[in-house]
Every structure is written in structure tokens, then in C-alpha cells.
């Protein structure tokens, strides 16, 4: 909702024209920064957060910064335009340039055109950029029925345009409860969507950017302009997501040892309790010795008077042993039980200390506010909670060191990607390290490194991860200087090595191909 069509229209009316472009750069693979005379424009082209946000200050890093769109430096912005019923903002520049900001989730991009012809893209999907049509999104001007069931509102308004989603349906339903017709409620909600203020709300699921005042006003901030609302939303989003990520990391660091120690402790306690509840084998041995004359060789069971408890007791016998030997067997069981119990009790004394420490640490962690309970205020996410989390992380248990691997390692959207360094290293990566369901990549028909994406069970591989890994495979190949490189990919189980093949050489039994641009040198930071 923070990049809705109606919001972009308001934002376009607030952005100043006549300002010159002073710089354009990226210090994050998915974020483009445009510096103007009096402000910066931050554009995020990644999921789950795609954004365009004007800010007054931005700290440029000293290294790992890439200058982009250098031909536009010094150009004036003449006007801003929003494509109707779509999430596309256009910056009309001098010299017949158009800068198109396309906020389409995973397909988000910033594209430069001159006189309608493609010039350059921020993201690498050139084919789409070259054929992008800047036409209004779908909108069918149909007559709504005067009334309908609440669950029918969303399908009806989405048939008009995809921009009308759940929040619109909920607001329309709220207005209809006052007695007005469905068309009247729809028109009222559309007008409200085109007006300020805007709202940021927090619930147990996280933060939401809203065009309308929410039904539950507990954790809500309102803002008089689109620019201010977007600035605060981006700031709050990063605060909240950082807290949530750190909280989850600490929960694992503290929770895993606690759960392990608790499991071990409970297991020992249960084993001791079971042994203590068992009937004493020594007593059974005594009963057998007192009744040897009642037992015959070959008996499998003896039912005898129990002089320790009232009634009879059934005692299992080994028919191959004499009555005396059966009694000795129970005496031996008693000795083994005593030794086993002494061992468990001694070990439990050691385990209790570790469990107590882990439990205390877990209780201390439990005093930190969970992300779902964080307070939202005009200063941002609860500052005290952030400081407490930071202090706990500083004082808490050390972060376990990740096992080092002899390959280049990269990460994209929490997926691990590994790149071989030479022929032998490629073989080790592909045939000793990679699992059969991991995705294997290689630049097509040229020498290069093997690339492996660690697959996550039960999840489809996101397209951006595949394309990033393919760009790595293109960079670490003989085609690194080509504009576009075909890269093959397949599950690791579909590659094999023949006897006598040179190091790094494999046979691919099944493959797919993706076309990508190789990464730039400054982007390759393992």
C-alpha cells in the first residue's frame, strides 16, 4: 500500500520541479539514490519492500559505491507524471529524457529512455525495459449494484481495477453500514484515498501503510503529506525489521541451547524416576532363594508369596537356569540397577548446572519485548526495547562461528550461494559439498566456476536469487566481459562426472538456460 497509485499521484504533486540531478549512485544492490539540489530520492527495487521515498539527508558511504546514469548529471527535472491506475512514476527531464520508476514488486526497476528509446536500466532485465509500454493500467467503468453481501465487495471492485484491494473493501463495508448504497460508498472511499492524511499502523503482524484511518486506532500514526508519511514508514520499517531479525537470531542463540539442555535434563530425570519406581530385583532374588523347593528346572514363571508386600508375586524365570542361578540373575540385576542409578544421578548433578544457566538465560531473554508487542510512537519503534535488545546481544552467549568452507560464499534473500575457485575446487563443491536438490549453475559453453545455490526444502527458488547466482556464474567465467551471457542451471542430481574427465569438467543430463548480465567487479563482494 505504500506505493499505491493514489499515493504516487499525491507524491508527484509534492516533489519539486526545476531541480538539477547532482548525483546518482547505489551502495546497496537493490537501492538507487538520486541526489537533487534540495533532497534525495531513495528507490528500493526489491521485495518484500519496494519503495520510492524523498528524504532530506542521506549519508553516502566511502566505499563500495557505484555511480549510475552518469549522463544525467546536471539535468533539470521538468515534471512528474504517474501512469493512471498503475504503480509507475515518470520523471520528465531535459533533452527529451524520461526516467521511469516501475514499482512492480520483484520486477521493480528504474529505466531511462530518450525520445522513447531505451537507454539504460538499474536492474538487468533489459528485455522488459525495451518493450515496456507506458499505458494506463486496467480500469473498467462499470455500474456497481446498489447492494451486495460483504464478501462480494472485493470481487466487484477488483473487477473495476486491481488497485482496489482489501483495504478499500473494508472501508466501503464500513461506510455501507451507515445506510448508503454501494456506489455511493465506493465513490466516497475513492475520494478519501486521494486525500491526506496517511496512516502507519502496527499490529501483531507488523507495520502497515494505510490510505485510510484504521478500524483499530491503538497503534496508529498519521501524517499530513505523502512525503512525510513515506519517510517515516521507511524509517520505521527498517527499525522494526532490524529488531525482528535480531530478536529471532537471539531467540535461536538462546533458545536452542535451552531446549537442548532441557531435553537432556528431562531425559535423565525420567530415567532416574523409572529406575526408582521399579520393583527391587534384590527383593525378587530373596523371594526366589526362600522358595527354591517350589521351583523346578525348566519353569518359565514362578508365582510365590510376597513377604515384602501382601499377596502373590509373579517372577519370570530363565528355564535354562537352575533356581539358584535365577536368583543370582536377579541379584546381578539389582547391582546393575544400583550402578546405573548412581551414574545417572552423578551425571544429573553436572547437567543441572548447565540447564539452570540455559534456563536463566532463556528467562532473561523472555523479558525482552517481542516484535509483536513493540510500542509505536512519534519517535519510532520503542527506543528502550531496542537498547535492551542491543545490550542483551552484547552480554549474551557468543555467536557460534559458522563452519568455514573452501569456496567463495555469497548471500541473496537469505539463500547461500557458493562459487568454486578452480577445477579441483569445482569438483569438491559439486560432488562433495552440494546436496542433490541444490541448484547448480555454469556459464554455457565456456570455461568458468561451478556455482551452487543451497536449496531450501519445501520452497520454490525465488527468481531474483536464480538471476543473481547466474550473474555470478557469468562473472566467474570467460564470458565476464560480454553484455549478455547464457547460463545453464539444473538440480545438482542431473550432473555427473565421467572417469578420466579433467578437474571441473562435468556432463549435464538436463538443463535450463537463463540470460543475464555478468555482475560488475564492484558488486562482487563475497
Amino acid at each position: 500500500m505504500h506505493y499505491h497509485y493514489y499515493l504516487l499521484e499525491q507524491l508527484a504533486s509534492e516533489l519539486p520541479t526545476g531541480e538539477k540531478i547532482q548525483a546518482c549512485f547505489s551502495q546497496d544492490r537493490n537501492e538507487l539514490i538520486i541526489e537533487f539540489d534540495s533532497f534525495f530520492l531513495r528507490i528500493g527495487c526489491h521485495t518484500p519492500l519496494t519503495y520510492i521515498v524523498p528524504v532530506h539527508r542521506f549519508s553516502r558511504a566511502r566505499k563500495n559505491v557505484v555511480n549510475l546514469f552518469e549522463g544525467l548529471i546536471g539535468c533539470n527535472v521538468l515534471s512528474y507524471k504517474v501512469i493512471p491506475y498503475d504503480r509507475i512514476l515518470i520523471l520528465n527531464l531535459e533533452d527529451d529524457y524520461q526516467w521511469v520508476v516501475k514499482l512492480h514488486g520483484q520486477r521493480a526497476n528504474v529505466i531511462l529512455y530518450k525520445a522513447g528509446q531505451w537507454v539504460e536500466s538499474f536492474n538487468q532485465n533489459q528485455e522488459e525495459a525495451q518493450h515496456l509500454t507506458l499505458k494506463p493500467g486496467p480500469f473498467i467503468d462499470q455500474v456497481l449494484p446498489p447492494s451486495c453481501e460483504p464478501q462480494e465487495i472485493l470481487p466487484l471492485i477488483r473487477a473495476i481495477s486491481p488497485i482496489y484491494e482489501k483495504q478499500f473493501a473494508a472501508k466501503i463495508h464500513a461506510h455501507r453500514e451507515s445506510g448508503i448504497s454501494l456506489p455511493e460508498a465506493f465513490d466516497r472511499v475513492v475520494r478519501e484515498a486521494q486525500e491526506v492524511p496517511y496512516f502507519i499502523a502496527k499490529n501483531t503482524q507488523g507495520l502497515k501503510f494505510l490510505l485510510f484511518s484504521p478500524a483499530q486506532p491503538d497503534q496508529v500514526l498519521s501524517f499530513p503529506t505523502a512525503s512525510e508519511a513515506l519517510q517515516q514508514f521507511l524509517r520505521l520499517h527498517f527499525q522494526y525489521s532490524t529488531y525482528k531479525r535480531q530478536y529471532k537470531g537471539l531467540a535461536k542463540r538462546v533458545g536452542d541451547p535451552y531446549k537442548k539442555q532441557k531435553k537432556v535434563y528431562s531425559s535423565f530425570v525420567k530415567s532416574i524416576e523409572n529406575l526408582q519406581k521399579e520393583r527391587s530385583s534384590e527383593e525378587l532374588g530373596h523371594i526366589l532363594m526362600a522358595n527354591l523347593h517350589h521351583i523346578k528346572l525348566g519353569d518359565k514363571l514362578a508365582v510365590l508369596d510376597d513377604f515384602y508386600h501382601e499377596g502373590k508375586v509373579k517372577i519370570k524365570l530363565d528355564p535354562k537356569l537352575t533356581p539358584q542361578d535365577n536368583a543370582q540373575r536377579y541379584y546381578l540385576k539389582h547391582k546393575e540397577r544400583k550402578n546405573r542409578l548412581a551414574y545417572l544421578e552423578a551425571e544429573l548433578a553436572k547437567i543441572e548446572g548447565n540447564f539452570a544457566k540455559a534456563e536463566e538465560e532463556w528467562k532473561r531473554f523472555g523479558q525482552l519485548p517481542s516484535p509483536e508487542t513493540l510500542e509505536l510512537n512519534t519517535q519510532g519503534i520503542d527506543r528502550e526495547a531496542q537498547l535492551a535488545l542491543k545490550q542483551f546481544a552484547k552480554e549474551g552467549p557468543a555467536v557460534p562461528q559458522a563452519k568455514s568452507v573452501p569456496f567463495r560464499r555469497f548471500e541473496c534473500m537469505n539463500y547461500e550461494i557458493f562459487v568454486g575457485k578452480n577445477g579441483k575446487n569445482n569438483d569438491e563443491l559439486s560432488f562433495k559439498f552440494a546436496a542433490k536438490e541444490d541448484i547448480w549453475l555454469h556459464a554455457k559453453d565456456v570455461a568458468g566456476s561451478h556455482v551452487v545455490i543451497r536449496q531450501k526444502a519445501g520452497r520454490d527458488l525465488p527468481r531474483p536469487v536464480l538471476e543473481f547466482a547466474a550473474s555470478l556464474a557469468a562473472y566467474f567465467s570467460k564470458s565476464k566481459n560480454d553484455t549478455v551471457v547464457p547460463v545453464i542451471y539444473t538440480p545438482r542430481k542431473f550432473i555427473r562426472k565421467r572417469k578420466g574427465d579433467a578437474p571441473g569438467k562435468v556432463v549435464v543430463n538436463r538443463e535450463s538456460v537463463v540470460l543475464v548480465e555478468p555482475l560488475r567487479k564492484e558488486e562482487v563482494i563475497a
Side-chain angles (χ1 to χ4, degrees), residues 215-229:
Q216 302 290 337
D218 298 5
Q219 296 245 0
V220 178
L221 303 175
S222 65
F223 302 92
T225 66
S227 298
E228 186 177 353

Side-chain angles (χ1 to χ4, degrees), residues 289-303:
M289 289 298 293
N291 291 276
L292 291 177
H293 57 287
H294 292 301
I295 305 169
K296 297 177 183 179
L297 182 65
D299 286 347
K300 295 182 179 180
L301 183 70
V303 181

